[in-house]
């Protein structure tokens, strides 16, 4: 059974010939290791939480915000039964970083692979974790991630693995970083969709492992301790306890809805060893820049003065901050875990030091011998200009002047059922006007709305050039973390200004890192390359939740004819209702 763990999960999706082709094309999968089946139940409900001392209606999984960590071993099959107890709100959960090879119906993307699960219903996701590394899960419906519907996925190497993790450590720990708003997802969505436009603003707090501290005095004397209480033990700082002399692997995930962070531990260096599930040619840093949707593993040696504790902090970068830094206690055992460090928390780097942020991105390269090198050439180049626009007075985010709108009928179901009227069948633009001035507010800010998709030849090599530009505010260009579903991509390079395809562009084809999420910096470009070798239709989007909500996304389709018909559980919205009705007679 162990040698066939992947094939046993593919036949319902692909023919055996196609499954064999995909299995042959995969790398670094120990297919002769006995695999387990993890059968989990997630009960999703609204609960009042005090994550930053302020009482907020949050989304919990099994009573927890953030949700429980999924701990698996490479090759395991994970089954998650999601029970929606939200009463008045649908749910879809995306397993971020899990490529869903052979299981596209479990990607967990509302309007793409499934109809979101209605209140009172249960949806079962089933997928194989085919690579070790650090990943995450989060809501992919509306703006629920802002309310805490997220958690970590940690995938370990099998004990039988002949080649161990290349960087030794003593203990394995996890850190979830997030930002926290007091408004509900409904309030935020209403503000973003209103005329005049109302921006959601900066978060009220920054959280480390679900703990933060809001200054309750800002609410005035009319708000009692039942609403905001700084002495509530539920919002005491998170504690990272270490044993002196030991080395710790910290799996760090950013589940923010808006913010980019710098993470640092007072008095301690960090050695970066993993990024989005790929081994890194390790390097040492005092602070780690991390953007929404990214995961890293860093090694920290507990070799400082063990008689005191230290601060672990996060501060906002890439946006002018108005939120206090997030704090945790780096606790040397046997000191008391609530013993505050004797020094002020380190402030972290300044928010607009873009050069330092780009420098770290350029330093992240693949560990040689552990990552397949990219093809030297590409079959297709798609350039995506990132702009802020308006449509009929509403603010939108757009790519090549097109702001994307998700259809009521999920794309993959529409393709399999030949519902040609379910979404726009035209081809989205693959480039933009070369005379466009990326440094100025657009003279014509209007965009068009579309639900179109990019059709890619199966197994072809595709380059994506992300080009940043000015927003609708003068002298403003925002950082966008871009995430691709169903694939990893090689990060070929970063650059300032406008990308020049005919100029001397220097790509790293030697040892580029493979990731699933990457930043696009202000007034710059980021170049990616990936193989369209996973049958289905896959989202590519800015991981800032409000930007995604306002249309900053694209869809890539390849080999969808290989995918089996949709399970009935994925249907129930848009034009899929008639198929359910006909099935039920």
């Amino acid at each position: 059974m162990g040698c066939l763990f992947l094939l046993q999960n593919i036949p319902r999706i692909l023919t055996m010939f196609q499954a064999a082709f995909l299995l042959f094309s995969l790398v670094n999968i120990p297919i002769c290791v006995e695999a387990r089946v993890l059968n989990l139940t997630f009960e999703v409900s609204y609960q009042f939480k005090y994550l930053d001392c302020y009482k907020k209606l949050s989304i919990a999984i099994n009573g927890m915000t953030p949700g429980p960590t999924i701990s698996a071993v490479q090759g395991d099959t994970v089954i998650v039964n999601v029970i929606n107890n939200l009463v008045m709100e649908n749910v879809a959960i995306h397993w971020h970083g899990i490529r869903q090879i052979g299981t596209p119906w479990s990607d967990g993307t509302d309007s793409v692979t499934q109809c979101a699960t209605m209140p009172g219903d249960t949806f079962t996701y089933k997928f194989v974790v085919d690579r070790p590394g650090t990943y995450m899960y989060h809501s992919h419906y509306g703006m629920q991630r802002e309310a805490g519907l997220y958690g970590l996925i940690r995938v370990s190497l099998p004990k039988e693995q002949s080649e161990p993790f290349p960087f030794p450590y003593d203990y394995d720990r996890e850190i979830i970083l997030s930002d926290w708003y007091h408004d509900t997802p409904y309030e935020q969505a209403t503000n973003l969709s209103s005329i005049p436009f109302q921006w959601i603003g900066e978060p009220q707090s920054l959280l480390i492992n679900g703990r933060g501290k809001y200054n309750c005095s800002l609410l005035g004397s009319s708000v009692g301790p039942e609403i905001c209480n700084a002495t509530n033990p539920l919002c005491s700082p998170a504690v990272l306890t270490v044993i002196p002399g030991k080395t710790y692997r910290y799996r760090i995930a950013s589940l923010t809805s808006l913010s980019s962070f710098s993470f640092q531990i007072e008095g301690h260096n960090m050695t970066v060893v993993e990024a989005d599930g790929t081994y890194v040619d390790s390097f040492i840093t005092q602070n780690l820049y991390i953007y929404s949707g990214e995961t890293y593993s860093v090694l920290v040696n507990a070799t400082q003065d063990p008689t005191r504790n230290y601060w672990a902090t996060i501060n906002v970068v890439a946006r002018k901050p108005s939120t206090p830094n997030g704090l945790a206690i780096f606790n040397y055992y046997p000191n008391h875990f609530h013993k505050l460090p004797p020094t002020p928390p380190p402030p972290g780097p300044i928010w607009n030091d873009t050069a330092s942020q780009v420098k770290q991105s350029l330093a992240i390269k693949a560990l040689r011998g552990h990552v397949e090198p990219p093809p030297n050439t590409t079959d297709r180049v798609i350039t995506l200009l990132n702009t802020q626009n308006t449509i009929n007075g509403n603010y939108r985010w757009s790519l090549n002047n097109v702001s994307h709108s998700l259809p009521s009928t999920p794309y993959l179901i529409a393709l399999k059922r030949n519902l040609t009227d379910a979404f726009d069948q035209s081809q989205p633009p693959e480039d933009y006007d070369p005379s466009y001035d990326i440094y100025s507010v657009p003279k014509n800010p209007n965009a068009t709305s579309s639900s179109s998709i990019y059709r890619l030849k199966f197994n072809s090599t595709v380059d994506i050039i992300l080009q940043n530009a000015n927003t609708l505010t003068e002298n403003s260009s925002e950082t966008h973390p871009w995430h691709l579903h169903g694939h990893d991509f090689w990060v070929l390079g970063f650059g300032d200004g406008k990308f020049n395809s005919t100029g001397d562009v220097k790509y790293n084809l030697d040892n580029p890192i493979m990731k699933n999420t990457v930043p696009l910096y202000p007034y710059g470009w980021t170049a990616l390359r990936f193989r369209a070798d996973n049958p289905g239709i896959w989202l590519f989007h800015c991981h800032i939740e409000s930007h995604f909500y306002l249309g900053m996304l694209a869809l890539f389709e390849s080999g969808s004819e290989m995918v089996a018909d949709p399970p009935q559980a994925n249907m129930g919205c848009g034009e899929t209702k008639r198929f359910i009705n006909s099935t039920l007679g």
Side-chain angles (χ1 to χ4, degrees), residues 441-485:
V441 175
K443 295 179 180 179
N444 178 11
N446 294 322
T448 59
S449 178
S450 175
S451 59
S452 56
I453 63 176
Y454 290 95
R455 306 268 188 159
L456 309 178
K457 182 180 178 182
F458 182 70
N459 211 34
S460 63
T461 300
V462 182
D463 281 10
I464 304 296
I465 310 300
L466 295 166
Q467 175 66 63
N468 215 340
N470 206 89
T471 67
L472 292 177
T473 302
E474 190 174 359
N475 298 321
S476 170
S477 181
E478 299 190 13
T479 297
H480 302 286
W482 277 91
H483 171 57
L484 177 60
H485 292 222

Side-chain angles (χ1 to χ4, degrees), residues 255-316:
L255 274 300
T256 60
S257 57
L258 173 69
S259 306
S260 303
F261 288 150
S262 171
F263 171 78
Q264 45 271 322
I265 300 174
E266 179 191 8
H268 294 72
N269 289 331
M270 294 177 283
T271 302
V272 180
V273 296
E274 179 218 343
D276 290 358
T278 300
Y279 297 151
V280 169
D281 186 3
S282 63
F283 64 94
I284 297 174
T285 185
Q286 291 184 331
N287 69 287
L288 177 72
Y289 293 115
I290 183 168
Y291 305 88
S292 178
E294 287 191 314
T295 63
Y296 289 95
S297 283
V298 300
L299 301 185
V300 178
N301 296 319
T303 55
Q304 298 303 307
D305 179 2
T307 64
R308 53 159 293 191
N309 289 340
Y310 300 81
W311 292 108
T313 68
I314 49 176
N315 65 285
V316 171

Side-chain angles (χ1 to χ4, degrees), residues 405-452:
S405 300
L406 294 174
S408 58
T409 303
Y411 286 99
L412 192 55
I413 298 176
L415 289 171
K416 297 306 298 181
R417 295 296 192 182
N418 198 30
L419 302 174
T420 57
D421 59 341
F423 63 89
D424 185 353
Q425 297 293 314
S426 64
Q427 175 73 15
E430 300 198 13
D431 208 337
Y432 65 97
D433 182 352
S435 66
Y436 188 94
D437 181 5
I438 67 169
Y439 296 102
S440 301
V441 175
K443 295 179 180 179
N444 178 11
N446 294 322
T448 59
S449 178
S450 175
S451 59
S452 56

Side-chain angles (χ1 to χ4, degrees), residues 209-240:
N209 282 346
R211 300 289 187 95
K213 181 135 318 200
Y214 181 70
N215 184 357
C216 296
S217 65
L218 297 175
L219 300 175
S221 57
S222 61
V223 176
E226 71 282 359
I227 300 298
C228 194
N229 183 358
T231 64
N232 189 332
L234 295 177
C235 61
S236 58
V239 178
L240 310 174

